[in-house]
């Protein structure tokens, strides 16, 4: 069976633990805070650390680090990894110094439409949340070391720690005069213990020996690739900043709305797509280094097709049951029926882009594995420009949902421009597999539309989710989609 499928299943199962805890966290946020100004302020406060996380942790730095690290052995690899860790600590501490001084300015930049009361609150929260980026940067290098050893489970499950501490912060928020400080402090502590957990694990496994060193030649090597990759990732994640800023123009709760929708939209992306992308990067890097072109293309195509097998039905499922899922998960306490309607429209708009962002993530890893960071950067610039223009246009006519649609369209643009040269490698058999996946997914979608008009309750919504998943797997079995056999094999071996 495909090793990519096996390691993706391991990574995805671990990620699922963290993501479902994250979903429970968001249920509590909806219950305690709803679509409120306090929650808007919290989102702005974690937006900057999350943006830098995409650059230093899960984005440019780590995707540059892994291909370079795989080309080193023994003590050289340890010194290289230590240099990366020490360099990131230094850079993030310097940035934190500026965040403390200019926190209100950052809050105003990220949430220009918010009221002054919530901008002040956000600037105070930001001073607490920002050290998260230092913790998570160290965590990302340790994760990269584990990925190189084909050890994916521990690093993938460790983000659950941050979710657990944030959940505890929400539950005990009543002890604070301003309740949102509870989850903010929980977020800070969660990041620290997430890093500490992985540090202890790596030390126990004796696969990395830390050195207190910053070696200039390794910094030059990293920066030679990192600078173009930085602009690529920074540009692409400006989308989230622009989306949040534009959402603040729609009034109180606008930022909260896109966050609630994004959590569900990102669930299949994180469980399936990010899992595949993280598994495939070190594998492609090694194959490129060994000049094994045919095997490189096979692994790349497998990554794309496995991603489509998992994300196409997820997309149709979220679109078909958007209102039912939002109501089931969020419509409790402070979260009203009106909030459900607004958020479900936004979720549909975002969900259109799931398939395309999934493919885009694998395409980017393809380029990075070959030490090419320039083309993804140029394409990212076009994607962001598309998103900004469409955000401004669509939000006038569609409200918050227009932001989701703009994001989806920019994802489509990115896949077409970045992947055009690779699509010719897909043969007739590959295309037939994609058609089978589409037939099974569309059939599942039509069944769900029929069923949801028959009855309405939260219990029935849960039942429909299981019926949808079962019907897709059944149709995949009837149509003999090859990746279904891989899944059965994994469960048989586990």
């Amino acid at each position: 069976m495909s090793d990519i499928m096996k390691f993706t299943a391991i990574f995805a199962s671990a990620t699922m633990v963290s993501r479902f805890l994250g979903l429970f966290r968001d249920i509590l946020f909806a219950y305690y805070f709803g679509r409120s100004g306090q929650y808007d302020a919290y989102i702005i406060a974690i937006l900057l650390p999350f943006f830098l996380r995409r650059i230093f942790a899960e984005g440019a730095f780590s995707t540059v680090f892994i291909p370079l690290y795989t080309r080193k052995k023994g003590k050289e690899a340890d010194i290289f990894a230590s240099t990366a860790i020490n360099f990131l600590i230094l850079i993030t501490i310097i940035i934190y110094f500026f965040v403390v001084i200019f926190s209100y300015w950052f809050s105003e930049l990220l949430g220009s439409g918010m009221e002054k009361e919530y901008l002040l609150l956000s600037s105070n929260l930001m001073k607490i949340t920002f050290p998260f980026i230092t913790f998570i940067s160290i965590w990302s290098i340790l994760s990269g070391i584990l990925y190189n050893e084909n050890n994916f489970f521990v690093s993938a499950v460790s983000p659950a720690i941050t979710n657990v501490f944030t959940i505890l912060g929400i539950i005990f928020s009543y002890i604070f005069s301003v309740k949102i400080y509870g989850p903010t402090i929980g977020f800070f502590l969660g990041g620290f213990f997430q890093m500490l957990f992985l540090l202890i694990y790596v030390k126990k496994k004796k696969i990395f020996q830390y050195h207190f060193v910053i070696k200039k030649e390794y910094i030059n090597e990293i920066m030679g690739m990192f600078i173009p990759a930085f602009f690529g990732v920074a540009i692409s994640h400006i989308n989230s900043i622009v989306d949040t800023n534009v959402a603040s123009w729609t009034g109180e709760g606008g930022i909260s709305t896109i966050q609630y929708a994004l959590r569900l939209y990102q669930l299949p992306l994180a469980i399936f797509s990010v899992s595949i992308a993280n598994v495939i990067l070190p594998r492609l890097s090694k194959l490129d280094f060994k000049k094994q072109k045919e095997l490189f293309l096979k692994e790349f195509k497998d990554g794309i097709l496995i991603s489509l097998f998992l994300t196409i039905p997820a997309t149709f499922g979220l679109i078909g049951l958007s209102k039912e899922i939002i109501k089931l998960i969020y419509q409790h306490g402070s979260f009203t029926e009106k909030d459900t309607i607004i958020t479900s429209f936004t979720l549909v708009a975002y969900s259109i882009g799931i398939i395309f962002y999934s493919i885009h993530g694998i395409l980017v890893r393809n380029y990075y594995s070959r030490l090419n960071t320039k083309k993804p950067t140029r394409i990212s610039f076009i994607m962001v420009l598309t998103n900004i223009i469409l955000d401004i246009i669509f939000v006038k006519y569609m409200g918050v949902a227009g932001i989701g649609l703009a994001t989806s369209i920019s994802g489509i643009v990115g896949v077409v421009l970045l992947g055009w040269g690779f699509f010719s490698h897909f043969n007739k058999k590959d295309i037939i597999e994609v058609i089978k996946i589409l037939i099974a997914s569309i059939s599942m979608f039509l069944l769900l539309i029929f069923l949801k008009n028959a009855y309405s309750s939260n219990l029935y919504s849960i039942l429909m989710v299981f019926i949808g998943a079962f019907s897709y797997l059944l149709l995949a079995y009837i149509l003999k989609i090859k990746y279904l056999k891989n899944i059965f094999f994994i469960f048989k071996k586990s």
Side-chain angles (χ1 to χ4, degrees), residues 252-379:
E252 184 176 333
I255 295 171
S256 303
T257 300
I258 63 168
Q259 289 305 313
Y260 288 127
L262 276 172
R263 299 303 186 193
L264 290 171
Y265 153 77
Q266 289 171 347
L267 195 61
L269 278 176
I271 293 174
F272 304 134
S273 308
V274 174
S275 299
I276 295 167
N278 283 332
V279 165
I280 208 171
L281 178 59
R283 295 176 65 82
L284 291 179
S285 298
K286 289 175 183 178
L287 291 171
D288 179 70
F289 183 63
K290 294 175 182 178
K291 307 296 182 185
Q292 294 178 301
K293 187 177 179 181
E294 286 187 14
L295 194 53
F296 181 97
L297 286 172
K298 183 185 180 300
E299 295 275 290
F300 167 69
K301 288 201 299 180
D302 270 352
I304 294 287
L305 292 171
I306 292 168
S307 178
L308 292 175
F309 175 74
L310 297 168
T311 57
I312 290 177
T315 298
F316 278 100
L318 280 177
I319 291 173
L321 298 177
S322 60
K323 186 178 177 182
E324 289 73 19
I325 291 171
I326 294 293
K327 182 181 178 182
L328 170 69
I329 294 173
Y330 294 133
Q331 195 176 311
H332 313 282
S334 301
F335 201 94
T336 66
E337 185 178 356
K338 181 183 176 184
D339 297 336
T340 294
I341 294 168
I342 295 169
T343 308
S344 65
F345 280 132
T346 308
L347 176 59
V348 169
Y350 271 116
S351 296
I352 295 167
I354 289 174
I355 299 165
F356 302 98
Y357 278 101
S358 171
I359 297 171
H360 181 264
I362 296 169
L363 287 168
V364 168
R365 264 62 171 196
N366 183 317
Y367 280 96
Y368 282 8
S369 70
R370 293 180 290 118
L371 307 183
N372 181 347
T373 57
K374 292 180 180 178
K375 186 171 181 179
T377 300
R378 292 195 297 268
I379 302 304

Side-chain angles (χ1 to χ4, degrees), residues 17 20 38 78 97 105 125 143 227 241-242 261 335 348 379 392 414 425-426 434 446 462 466-467 476-477:
V17 174
F20 277 108
Q38 278 197 32
D78 288 341
F97 175 77
W105 182 83
L125 298 180
S143 294
I227 291 172
I241 293 175
V242 172
F335 201 94
V348 169
I379 302 304
I392 295 168
H425 295 294
F426 289 82
V434 175
L446 294 174
I462 295 171
F466 283 104
I467 290 172
Y477 176 77

